[in-house]
Amino acid sequence: MNASKILIRRVAAVAVAAVTLIGLTGCGGLTIPADPDGTLQTVSGGELRVGVSPDPGLVTDRGPDGGTPTGSLPDLVEGFADSIDAEIEWTEGSEETLVGMLERGDLDVVAGGFTSDTPWIDKAGVTRGYPQIEGADGREIVLLVPLGENAFLSAVERYLDEEVGSR
């Protein structure tokens, strides 16, 4: 095949790719990153269901009266909720229980002593590690969100980047 035919085929392939890309970006409602289950849209102006697992320095338990947990992580989660105009419903439990609830869609975010080498990586979306969180003691603390809810994950990370900085 001569050089001019190869050039014509390459130009045609690039044109087809460009038209396809333009067509996809013109699709109504297509945003990247996306939330297949609409978590960010659902919790914004609504209810943010938060699971917490006590961890010294990061999360204190809610006590016998079931009050609001305290610590640097609940403070950050409350700030994020305020930023999206959401009310928080707190649930306290073990890591395994909370991750199971996250998988079933019963929670929107889980906070505790989770680190960047969490074993839950195949069960939950994981934020970047944040060693600057007060009480982290050098650990890269992460929050867990529903797997695949990338717009929500990005919103949480943007908030954390602003509040505690990224690595």
Side-chain angles (χ1 to χ4, degrees):
M1 199 180 295
N2 66 31
S4 64
K5 286 185 179 182
I6 292 173
L7 180 61
I8 290 171
R9 285 187 178 189
R10 285 187 181 167
V11 169
V14 169
V16 167
V19 168
T20 301
L21 182 60
I22 290 168
L24 287 175
T25 58
C27 291
L30 180 65
T31 58
I32 298 175
D35 280 348
D37 294 328
T39 300
L40 183 58
Q41 183 176 358
T42 300
V43 300
S44 296
E47 181 179 70
L48 181 66
R49 301 163 305 164
V50 181
V52 289
S53 181
D55 186 272
L58 295 170
V59 180
T60 59
D61 66 29
R62 299 169 61 188
D65 63 349
T68 302
T70 59
S72 56
L73 286 178
D75 290 348
L76 284 169
V77 171
E78 286 175 347
F80 173 69
D82 288 345
S83 77
I84 60 170
D85 194 31
E87 296 294 321
I88 298 178
E89 177 188 315
W90 297 100
T91 299
E92 185 177 315
S94 69
E95 288 186 10
E96 186 172 356
T97 297
L98 296 174
V99 170
M101 292 177 73
L102 190 67
E103 280 188 295
R104 288 189 305 276
D106 298 331
L107 294 175
D108 303 308
V109 65
V110 176
F114 302 99
T115 64
S116 54
D117 35 325
T118 180
W120 303 112
I121 193 103
D122 60 338
K123 306 272 185 197
V126 180
T127 66
R128 287 188 291 278
Y130 292 90
Q132 306 89 334
I133 292 176
E134 186 179 327
D137 296 327
R139 297 177 291 169
E140 288 191 356
I141 300 302
V142 300
L143 298 181
L144 306 180
V145 302
L147 198 57
E149 296 299 285
N150 296 325
F152 182 63
L153 176 64
S154 293
V156 171
E157 286 181 332
R158 276 192 304 276
Y159 179 80
L160 292 174
D161 288 347
E162 290 172 10
E163 292 301 310
V164 297
S166 58
R167 294 183 230 189

